[in-house]
Amino acid sequence: MRFATGLVLIDAPHSALNMLGIDESLADRNVTRVKTFKRGGKRYPYVSPQAWRYWWRSTLKEHFNWELSPLYREQKQVFTAANPLKYPDDDIFGYMRAFKKGGVNVTVTRVSPLKNTPLISVLPDRNSLTVDEGYASRHEGDPVPYSQEFYSTVFKGAFSLDLDAVGRFTIISKAGFKNLLTRGDLPKSRNKNNEEIFQEVEEMEKLAQELGVQMNEKEWLMPAEIRKKRASEAIKALRFFSGGAKQTQYHTDITPKFVLLLNVDAGINPFISDIVYEEKGDIKFDAEALAKRLSDLKDVIPEGAKLYLGYDDGFVKSLGWDMDEIVKKLKESGIGVFVGTVKEAIEGFVKEVEAYYG
């Protein structure tokens, strides 16, 4: 198994990217609050993982022309088409459709090959959060006061893309692994109540044949070129992220200003734990700790794989980081280190990912 893992840092110098809204549990009910969570006696702003995934999906549609899976509503559920052959976002981001239709159980679920953390502020709220006191005064009469929180911080987020799972769809009666409906799920008799389900299965089979999908009893496997394209574009999208709340008032560029990328032959992400941390109000990078961690993981890092480090000059200067010293320490891990801009690092890493599919 091969996982493309990464860490990104997003500079948010004056932002409110993912708001909680009005907190009805508090006495002060005219303040629009940011989302925070508590750790070790401190509170940290964060962007929810689903918001980050929404940005990711939207970027793939806008910059790579992905046709996104449509949304449907049945009973109290909202779900996608659950067609990973036709819609690449169903393949990469997974899905769950669980109900009966026309007397047929049409439940299918797929564990997302792409996993991501929330985007978490490196700085706690006491060092990053403030409240803007405003007044709505464009109407007649007295101005109406309102308040909204925003922050100045750096967000860190990590992700892992299961390269083996991309374009591979299992047909196993287990939550997350029953990816597709097949003829074995259909009733013996066809009638107007289940006609739609028969058509879904037939259309899926027809599309699979057109695309050259290997259709085995327990899994369907898409051609390597399609899997390669989907995996590489999912990673290339990192360079073009856009989105976030309150952009009209707190305009923020959410493209990563610092990335670490590495292929790992295990479900491990070496970047999740605290290698980027706060110390007395400053944001630090513990290259020595990461080098030791990578050295420990050498047996699951593919032969010839490199650690790709990409950064924006202005960003690291603002943090006071000595990149020459950081790279020197990272090389002590014994793993090759590629250093360049964010664009160069992502493009180099994508070549490794593509080579995995042959």
Side-chain angles (χ1 to χ4, degrees):
M1 60 174 64
R2 175 75 52 92
F3 292 82
T5 65
L7 173 137
V8 302
L9 298 182
I10 292 173
D11 189 22
H14 36 64
S15 313
L17 296 168
N18 187 215
M19 303 296 282
L20 176 67
I22 302 294
D23 187 347
E24 299 290 346
S25 67
L26 300 177
D28 189 357
R29 296 185 181 181
N30 71 341
V31 182
T32 305
R33 301 189 182 279
V34 303
K35 293 181 177 179
T36 61
F37 73 100
K38 194 172 184 180
R39 182 186 182 192
K42 298 178 182 177
R43 299 200 72 84
Y44 294 84
Y46 72 93
V47 172
S48 69
Q50 59 269 27
W52 191 15
R53 293 170 77 83
Y54 180 78
W55 301 346
W56 214 316
R57 264 191 165 99
S58 301
T59 301
L60 286 163
K61 176 185 177 184
E62 183 173 349
H63 290 273
F64 297 94
N65 296 317
W66 279 27
E67 182 182 1
L68 300 187
S69 186
L71 294 175
Y72 300 94
R73 182 164 185 166
E74 189 81 24
Q75 299 169 9
K76 294 183 179 180
Q77 296 182 40
V78 175
F79 49 86
T80 69
N83 185 340
L85 273 64
K86 182 175 182 179
Y87 302 108
D89 61 321
D90 272 349
D91 181 2
I92 299 296
F93 292 89
Y95 47 80
M96 181 175 73
R97 181 183 73 180
F99 63 96
K100 287 187 176 181
K101 191 169 188 177
V104 181
N105 185 354
V106 295
T107 298
V108 285
T109 58
R110 174 167 171 78
V111 175
S112 171
L114 178 65
K115 299 163 180 63
N116 60 276
T117 66
L119 295 171
I120 300 167
S121 169
V122 179
L123 301 175
D125 64 349
R126 72 185 182 196
N127 288 339
S128 61
L129 199 63
T130 189
V131 179
D132 176 54
E133 307 286 352
Y135 292 88
S137 58
R138 296 179 62 189
H139 59 286
E140 292 186 3
D142 296 333
V144 177
Y146 68 92
S147 304
Q148 56 187 11
E149 294 180 339
F150 72 101
Y151 38 69
S152 178
T153 190
V154 170
F155 284 103
K156 60 180 178 180
F159 69 89
S160 175
L161 178 62
D162 184 343
L163 300 183
D164 285 310
V166 174
R168 183 188 297 274
F169 313 116
T170 54
I171 308 168
I172 301 170
S173 295
K174 180 181 174 183
F177 296 89
K178 174 68 174 171
N179 297 164
L180 303 170
L181 282 185
T182 63
R183 288 189 176 272
D185 301 304
L186 297 175
K188 293 181 180 178
S189 61
R190 185 170 185 159
N191 56 53
K192 62 180 183 181
N193 292 327
N194 59 38
E195 175 63 22
E196 193 175 331
I197 311 304
F198 272 84
Q199 288 181 8
E200 177 183 323
V201 172
E202 289 167 355
E203 288 173 6
M204 193 82 76
E205 289 178 343
K206 181 181 177 185
L207 181 59
Q209 290 167 358
E210 291 173 354
L211 294 174
V213 174
Q214 294 178 31
M215 301 163 64
N216 303 314
E217 183 182 355
K218 294 294 184 183
E219 71 170 26
W220 290 12
L221 185 65
M222 299 194 82
E225 283 304 311
I226 296 177
R227 302 174 71 202
K228 178 192 300 186
K229 183 174 185 295
R230 291 181 175 183
S232 63
E233 289 181 348
I235 295 168
K236 288 177 182 174
L238 291 168
R239 284 188 55 221
F240 304 109
F241 280 154
S242 63
K246 301 288 184 184
Q247 285 284 12
T248 55
Q249 294 170 299
Y250 300 99
H251 185 38
T252 301
D253 175 8
I254 62 168
T255 57
K257 297 297 182 291
F258 183 93
V259 296
L260 289 170
L261 303 161
L262 178 70
N263 278 308
V264 182
D265 281 340
I268 297 167
N269 189 318
F271 309 124
I272 287 182
S273 296
D274 291 336
I275 53 173
V276 180
Y277 61 98
E278 186 234 5
E279 185 176 271
K280 298 179 180 177
D282 291 328
I283 296 174
K284 305 284 188 180
F285 179 68
D286 195 339
E288 186 175 352
L290 179 58
K292 288 180 179 177
R293 193 176 298 167
L294 294 178
S295 182
D296 275 355
L297 295 174
K298 250 183 171 179
D299 53 339
V300 290
I301 295 175
E303 186 176 351
K306 292 180 181 176
L307 171 68
Y308 290 84
L309 188 163
Y311 66 92
D312 176 274
D313 268 335
F315 175 68
V316 297
K317 283 179 183 174
S318 73
L319 299 179
W321 291 1
D322 183 340
M323 293 308 300
D324 290 336
E325 186 63 24
I326 285 175
V327 172
K328 180 181 174 184
K329 287 190 179 299
L330 290 176
K331 286 182 176 178
E332 291 174 2
S333 66
I335 296 167
V337 180
F338 173 94
V339 183
T341 65
V342 172
K343 175 178 182 287
E344 291 167 345
I346 290 174
E347 288 181 347
F349 183 61
V350 163
K351 287 180 182 175
E352 266 195 27
V353 169
E354 290 179 337
Y356 180 64
Y357 293 103

